[in-house]
Amino acid sequence: MSNPFDDQLDKNPANFVALSPVSFLARCAEVYPDKTALIHGALRQTWAQTYARCCRLASVLVRNGIGLGDTVAVLAPNTPAMYEAHFGVPMAGAVLNTINVRLDAATIGFILTHGGAKLLLVDREFAAVAAEAITRCERPPRVIDIDDPMYDGEGARIGDLDYEALLASGDPRFRWQLPRDEWQAIALNYTSGTTGNPKGVVIHHRGAYLNSFGNAVASVMGPSSVYLWTLPMFHCNGWSFTWTMALIAGTNVCLRRVETRAIFEAIHRHRVTHLCGAPIVLNMMINAPDAERALVEHPLEAMTGGAAPPAAVIARMEQMGIAVTHLYGLTETYGPSVACAWHEEWDALPLAERARLKSRVGVRKAIMEEVSVLDPVTLEPVPHDGATLGEVMMRGNVVMRGYLKNPRASAESFAGGWYHTGDLGVVHPDGYIQIKDRSKDIIISGGENISSIELEDMLYRHPAVLEAAVVARPDVHWGETPCAFVALKPAASATEADIIAFCRERLAGFKVPRAVVFGPLPKTATGKVQKYVLRERAALI
């Protein structure tokens, strides 16, 4: 029997248009042409100006033969040029590849080659590493220099043209087109590659469009929002906030370097309402000098993710008047796709209890269809008891298309019709998820599972501890035992015995670290502790 709702009710240009976040920028230029879109030092750039510049970039790319299926790479910090690339590149039909600025030349060279970059925009600060990376490419991309006036350091120009000169030759009225298919790739983002070459995550226009809305809803953002770029735009396209800011017609405040003085001065000067960052950014803020922290004189929201923030860090942020929202996601899910949705009745709880609740990652955002904690073998949901471990899995429109040129890894990650995150978690009776560990980071000592996150959370409560990370250390008798790596606060002191005694008073004996190593922790550019480095160190102790 035919469905009457399908009879002669087909898609047509009047009732179906492919979803793309590029359309947000066009609307901003139409509705809010004179509103400030970008602040960067003395620069104040409106949405109309930003749109015209992105059109110029797109027109030049097309004129130079760059379009559908081509990759344009960018190696730059949070500057207007980096922001404009998020629109200008897809407006040309091409794919944007933002590269981690802290990577070495060999890895950057691999990414340029694997992603097939035809053009590379390079901030002058990273000219040396870019030049070396290009020598490793069989087909080197054309290089365009970004000469940011806010950068006063060294760095030679290595391209054949400057970014501003490139834009000057473009057409501000370029008639760009939305993608014919919203499944078309909009960006290529590479994973950290801690166990080999990084994998290229392909995301599409539809997912970027939807995740932009998800950010706005989860973070309660609107036209009056002022967003400080403490999160790198190269990381998951700034968790899609690059496109969210155009959706809401808010104001972007660029920040070349994440330094506490610059953060607090920007918050004060520009009345910042929102910022994002890994827990390390929050930790920097709560340990900043009193004079800097005193610059927070109005309410603002901080979204954090990338690692579970210790409850103690969340509590101290709230004491500063900064509300924290815990997010969770991966490069493969356009950044955060899970959020700790707040309930008003929780506001009446004591600060410590509020912080504990916020340390959970929470529930799926409205734009993710399903998030569940499943048995990794049977794919059956774990009980909502807050104790039974399972793997966090997802399915929905904000899951990647797959890994570029890596069908095996794509198939493995989508086994059973779910995206397998590799993260272990539990589900509490209220349905909220709490991440306990990466599957590779769980410590199994004498048959007992030890959550490194739980132990790290306890270490952060020690008054002398600035940062902490825990990994497994091989042990002849127990198989493995916890090894803590600790960075102390300036002028603070503590011994290995002090740290171990502190933990022993508060944790079951088998969870207490058997060794404590003091010193700075190795991190990625997004603030994640490089635990694979720590595991290598622990194995030698």
Side-chain angles (χ1 to χ4, degrees):
M1 183 177 177
S2 64
N3 184 344
F5 291 97
D6 287 341
D7 186 26
Q8 298 179 1
L9 299 175
D10 297 326
K11 293 179 184 177
N12 64 69
N15 65 21
F16 179 82
V17 178
L19 302 180
S20 171
V22 175
S23 64
F24 304 151
L25 180 61
R27 179 180 177 274
C28 278
E30 294 170 6
V31 182
Y32 302 99
D34 300 321
K35 192 171 186 293
T36 301
L38 288 161
I39 295 174
H40 187 48
L43 174 72
R44 300 294 185 276
Q45 187 169 295
T46 68
W47 281 111
Q49 292 169 329
T50 302
Y51 177 69
R53 287 170 62 84
C54 292
C55 285
R56 288 179 180 274
L57 175 57
S59 69
V60 173
L61 294 177
V62 172
R63 189 193 311 151
N64 283 272
I66 295 175
L68 185 64
D70 294 325
T71 303
V72 175
V74 185
L75 187 65
N78 292 343
T79 59
M82 175 63 112
Y83 188 80
E84 291 161 358
H86 279 80
F87 295 90
V89 172
M91 286 165 77
V95 179
L96 177 65
N97 173 209
T98 55
I99 300 177
N100 186 330
V101 298
R102 291 182 64 182
L103 294 176
D104 58 89
T107 305
I108 294 174
F110 169 82
I111 289 171
L112 293 174
T113 299
H114 187 264
K118 285 193 172 182
L119 186 76
L120 173 63
L121 306 178
V122 181
D123 185 280
R124 194 160 52 87
E125 182 177 357
F126 309 103
V129 68
E132 183 181 346
I134 290 168
T135 64
R136 300 169 181 267
C137 300
E138 281 188 32
R139 297 181 179 178
R142 181 187 178 190
V143 178
I144 302 296
D145 296 304
I146 301 172
D147 196 358
D148 177 20
M150 288 293 290
Y151 178 63
D152 57 4
E154 298 180 354
R157 296 185 180 184
I158 61 173
D160 62 278
L161 196 64
D162 172 77
Y163 179 72
E164 293 299 326
L166 181 78
L167 293 194
S169 67
D171 181 3
R173 300 177 187 82
F174 175 67
R175 296 178 65 85
W176 55 275
Q177 300 291 323
L178 285 169
R180 293 181 181 178
D181 185 352
E182 57 193 16
W183 179 252
Q184 180 178 313
I186 189 172
L188 172 65
N189 297 310
Y190 280 83
T191 60
S192 58
T194 56
T195 57
N197 285 328
K199 297 192 290 290
V201 175
V202 180
I203 65 173
H204 49 70
H205 285 253
R206 176 181 177 83
Y209 182 99
L210 293 172
N211 204 38
S212 299
F213 276 92
N215 285 342
V217 172
S219 306
V220 193
M221 303 178 81
S224 61
S225 297
V226 179
Y227 183 84
L228 179 62
W229 278 103
T230 46
L231 176 76
M233 291 187 204
F234 65 67
H235 182 49
C236 305
N237 305 108
W239 293 352
S240 295
F241 277 93
T242 44
W243 298 307
T244 297
M245 292 309 294
L247 164 67
I248 64 171
T251 298
N252 297 274
V253 180
C254 295
L255 196 65
R256 276 193 71 96
R257 288 187 180 84
V258 180
E259 299 169 337
T260 58
R261 184 175 183 83
I263 290 173
F264 286 109
E265 287 182 349
I267 289 172
H268 180 76
R269 183 179 302 120
H270 305 300
R271 301 289 294 181
V272 168
T273 62
H274 294 79
L275 59 84
C276 290
I280 182 62
V281 175
L282 274 54
N283 202 40
M284 288 171 55
M285 293 176 69
I286 64 176
N287 287 289
D290 292 343
E292 293 180 7
R293 290 188 285 112
L295 292 173
V296 180
E297 298 177 335
H298 64 277
L300 72 146
E301 300 281 335
M303 288 75 76
T304 189
V313 172
I314 294 176
R316 291 187 64 185
M317 286 290 285
E318 298 225 340
Q319 288 172 338
M320 289 170 55
I322 303 176
V324 177
T325 297
H326 190 189
L327 306 174
Y328 166 75
L330 306 95
T331 304
E332 291 86 344
T333 63
Y334 298 68
S337 49
V338 176
C340 188
W342 197 246
H343 293 253
E344 289 185 1
E345 57 268 29
W346 293 348
D347 289 333
L349 296 172
L351 176 61
E353 179 63 11
R354 294 201 309 271
R356 185 191 68 79
L357 290 172
K358 286 193 172 187
S359 67
R360 307 183 302 176
V361 296
V363 294
R364 65 184 177 92
K365 288 163 66 175
I367 42 75
M368 179 63 85
E369 294 307 308
E370 292 185 73
V371 176
S372 190
V373 179
L374 308 178
D375 182 293
V377 177
T378 66
L379 298 186
E380 289 295 316
V382 301
H384 291 197
D385 58 8
T388 305
L389 277 177
E391 183 178 359
V392 181
M393 301 190 194
M394 307 181 187
R395 54 164 59 127
N397 291 296
V398 288
V399 172
M400 65 170 179
R401 286 181 58 171
Y403 297 113
L404 182 68
K405 304 174 186 176
N406 197 338
R408 179 177 178 179
S410 297
E412 289 175 352
S413 69
F414 294 145
W418 289 89
Y419 168 62
H420 296 242
T421 67
D423 287 322
L424 300 178
V426 298
V427 185
H428 290 274
D430 61 0
Y432 276 55
I433 295 171
Q434 183 174 8
I435 301 298
K436 288 296 185 179
D437 234 324
R438 289 289 294 172
S439 57
K440 63 185 178 183
D441 292 339
I442 201 77
I443 303 166
I444 305 175
S445 184
E448 297 281 0
N449 287 349
I450 302 172
S451 166
S452 64
I453 291 177
E454 178 187 5
L455 186 45
E456 289 161 3
D457 189 73
M458 182 58 65
L459 290 168
Y460 269 97
R461 299 183 193 182
H462 191 288
V465 172
L466 175 66
E467 296 175 339
V470 177
V471 298
R473 175 191 176 195
D475 185 275
V476 174
H477 180 70
W478 299 106
E480 52 191 29
T481 56
C483 178
F485 289 82
V486 171
L488 299 177
K489 295 177 181 177
S493 62
T495 65
E496 181 179 48
D498 293 335
I499 299 296
I500 291 175
F502 179 85
C503 293
R504 183 171 288 118
E505 291 175 4
R506 296 163 175 82
L507 293 170
F510 72 90
K511 296 181 179 180
V512 175
R514 299 299 181 90
V516 180
V517 181
F518 295 95
L521 306 184
K523 302 184 190 72
T524 67
T526 55
K528 293 181 182 178
V529 174
Q530 294 173 311
K531 286 197 170 182
Y532 74 99
V533 175
L534 298 182
R535 279 192 287 269
E536 292 172 356
R537 294 179 184 174
L540 300 175
I541 296 173

